[in-house]
Amino acid sequence: MNTNQLILRNLHKNIKNYYLYVFALIFSTALYFAFVTLQYDPAMDETTGSIKGAAAVRVASVLLIAIVAIFLIYANNLFIKRRSKEIGLFQLIGMTKNRIFLILSMENFLVYFGSLLIGTLFGFAVSKLIMMILFKIMGIDQVASLSFSIAAFLQTVGVFTAVYLIIMLVNYLYISRQTILSLFHIKSKTEAREKRISIFEVVIGLFGIGLIALGYYVSSRLFSGDFTSIQELFTVMLFILVSVIIGTYLFYKGSVRFLANLIRKNKGGYLNINQVLSLSSIMFRMKSNALLLTIITTVSALAIGLLSLSYISYYSAGKTAESNTPADFSFVNEEDLSVFTSALKEEGIPFNKETIKVLVAKVKIDDIVNGSAASLPVEDGVLPMPIVSDASIPKLNVGENQILFTGYSDAMKQIVQFSSSGTIVLHTATQSFKQQYMGLAKEDVLSGYFTKGRPTVVVDKALFEKIAQDLNKELQFNADYAGINVQDEDIKIANDIFQSLEGIQRSGNSSQFALLNRQKENMGLIMFIVGFLGLTFLITSGCILYFKQMDEGDEERPNYTILRKLGYTRGDLLKGIQGKQVFNFGIPLIIGLFHSYFAVQSGWFLFGTELWAPMFIVMGLYAGLYSIFGVLSVLYYKKVIRHSL
Amino acid sequence: MTVLEANKIHKSYGNKFTRQEVLKGIDVSIDKGEFLTIMGASGSGKTTLLNVLSSIDRVSHGTIHIEGKELTGRKEKQLAEFRKHHLGFIFQEYNLLDTLTVKENILLPLSITNASKKEANAKFTSVASELGIEDVQHKYPNEISGGQKQRTSAARAFIHEPSIIFADEPTGALDSKSASDLLDKMSELNQKRKATIVMVTHDPVAASYSSRVIFIKDGQIYTRLYKGDQTRSSFLKDIMKTQGVLGGVQYEH
Ligand SMILES: Nc1ncnc2c1ncn2[C@@H]1O[C@H](COP(=O)(O)OP(=O)(O)OP(=O)(O)O)[C@@H](O)[C@H]1O
Ligand SMILES: [Mg+2]
């Protein structure tokens, strides 16, 4: 038999082994090609296109290929291990390692580039869908066109060829390092040799937990003002990353094994079926599992964190627009206001109007501020703040000696914390008033033109009059706030009118609707890219776990045969397997969620104003999608068990 | 009293085109407390017969009754339940779980019967010392020798004191000393506890421990030998003679 025949024969025989690898390949090529097609789409053109941000897309495509490369190399490793016996056999009958490598590479070449082609076609098919999603997220009204981009194709082929070469290199190193004997035995090698619970393990595990806790702690201090320069911030971030990742690894390596060992020791060899299938199997592979679990945990944490942050900003877009322009339209100019309202009347659009008189006075706030207020223009604990009368806000009522702050975002709360009560001194030009501070209300009253990120001060009508008598001239706006609200169904037309009237869009006048759209467009692309990468993270890490479980399932099939011969039913076995999968998929998910929670906590306020809702939505979705892989793996085990007798 | 009765069992492998009939109508009946050996050339269907008798595999035709209850046609769950409580196995390939230590492997059948841990440990200690595998109890299967694996497998079959033990070449990987230890242990179980034993072997010496030997050829029973009141050595001679005839080589004095 010559080499060519051997290659074809092998290919034919190994089709079943290959399917896992082929799937990984087709999937990643499709993903990459679709993404790169996007990058070369005319809509992406910096000057003429409707989407700005080609640079972001380019960076993302580099990241994408990095993930994909790791994913493919991992899949290839699993795959070559499955064939170790065959490689050993070739060696046994006297083939040189080089020749085996050649055969394997040829075989691989056919599969690899075949899948690449199929994947490209798939990617082409879904690229329009992806483009449509992007337009939708960004709120762009444009029909996505479908065109095959030669440039994208060449880039895909180039990049994947490079990955192929890397894989070949890995295979070469693998083959040249193996002896005949080790190739035959690779499958039954136990990875957990320690039989005694060593004190060392406990220490390592505890040390890991300590590192994670330290990382969490430092992350909570990240933006508290302890670290100010960018240089410092980066160093600290790097420190957090490294300490959490290493901590996670040590945790898996030490604690998990220690706990498992402890349970097993306690049983004194008397294990029930669930423990046989979960505990012992997990421990049997703890060494490779620790690394894998660390990678999966890190990747999940990264994905959840990034997704949460970008979703926070996307989700907060509405909130941000609202706090900037509490009414549908805000004006600071009488003339512009009357131009707009008469235009609305002409169109027959009903609206209601509120005007609020705004004064500015210096407020001494340092008695009620916890921590630093560096982000606000505070001088000697005194901050000029916009003041309104409670008479102009029907919802709020303030006593004569009282003072209330309102309209302050969750995000600002992270930076400056106000206590819930205290005394405040209000300075007018010549007088000062000592007031009792009543706390912070959420209501947005004024537009961003007046607040500039500060809360609005609400005082009693009488005090407001007194302040008006004694104004500090240079602080005043010389304008009143006016808000126009229209019915929800009229908002689009009203906005068109606002945009079409000449001269009224000057600073201070704003449309909530337009602001929201602008926010969405800005955040949309980032959101899309991060979402795309996050999804890739999710799918690749899910696939890797799934592949690993497939591998384990096939490897443990003889065990299921024995157990079934001994009289355990399929149901018994499946129950044990479920326990094992809860561990394999659940632990990295839970720890990943914790990591991302702390990461998001440390800096979310830089991205938006809402934390909980968007974060929980992202986490829930991620956990849901991720669990699909766990369910799939259980189904796979079910099949293996069914065929095991 | 008959424990196991098989009538006209047929077993074939493969599909319509590659059909190979391995068992062609075998009748066996095994009495309670009997020690039966099945012999025959390699590939003659001994393992297959043992598998169908022990409910691990299904017959193509024919019926099998154990303790009066019909096995054929029963649900897989009921069969599993039955195996769990009444049968013990020593397989030709050692069939140990490589993720478990020797001790854990041996205790496996007990964990279903809700035996207390103390009881389980006591049983383990006695069976492990009798089979000489105490020293390796904390090792994994890939860290022990073939013979040790076979003894582990035997210990697992004995520990829950099943009513029927099926053994496929239990002495295949053992030296003559450990082989006779294992066989002594089996006879002891057979005599003292009235455990029924069905064993497959190539070794006439091992076969001579039993009370009856059946020879299989071409999927059918070729002949039967009874020990009766003979001594073991004269039974051994008979067995060797029949084996010689069966193998086509004339047995010479
Ligand atoms: N699962 C199977 N599928 C197809 N054919 C099988 C299967 N198992 C066994 N056979 C065939 O059935 C015949 C009998 O096999 P069996 O294992 O019963 O032989 P045996 O008597 O135990 O041999 P040995 O002494 O070598 O163990 C053989 O020809 C074998 O090829
Ligand atoms: Mg056999």
Side-chain angles (χ1 to χ4, degrees), chain A residues 188 193 264 266 270 564, chain B residues 76 83 104 115 117 142-143:
Chain A
S188 63
R193 311 226 71 180
R264 202 169 178 181
N266 256 336
Y270 194 33
R564 284 186 66 188
Chain B
E76 110 115 35
R83 288 201 291 276
E104 286 164 352
K117 204 166 137 184
N142 59 1
E143 300 166 328

Side-chain angles (χ1 to χ4, degrees), chain A residues 26-36 64 68 119 123 130 532 536:
Chain A
I26 291 183
F27 169 74
S28 28
T29 334
L31 212 64
Y32 186 73
F33 182 72
F35 201 76
V36 177
L64 193 62
V68 163
I130 289 175
F532 199 91
T536 315

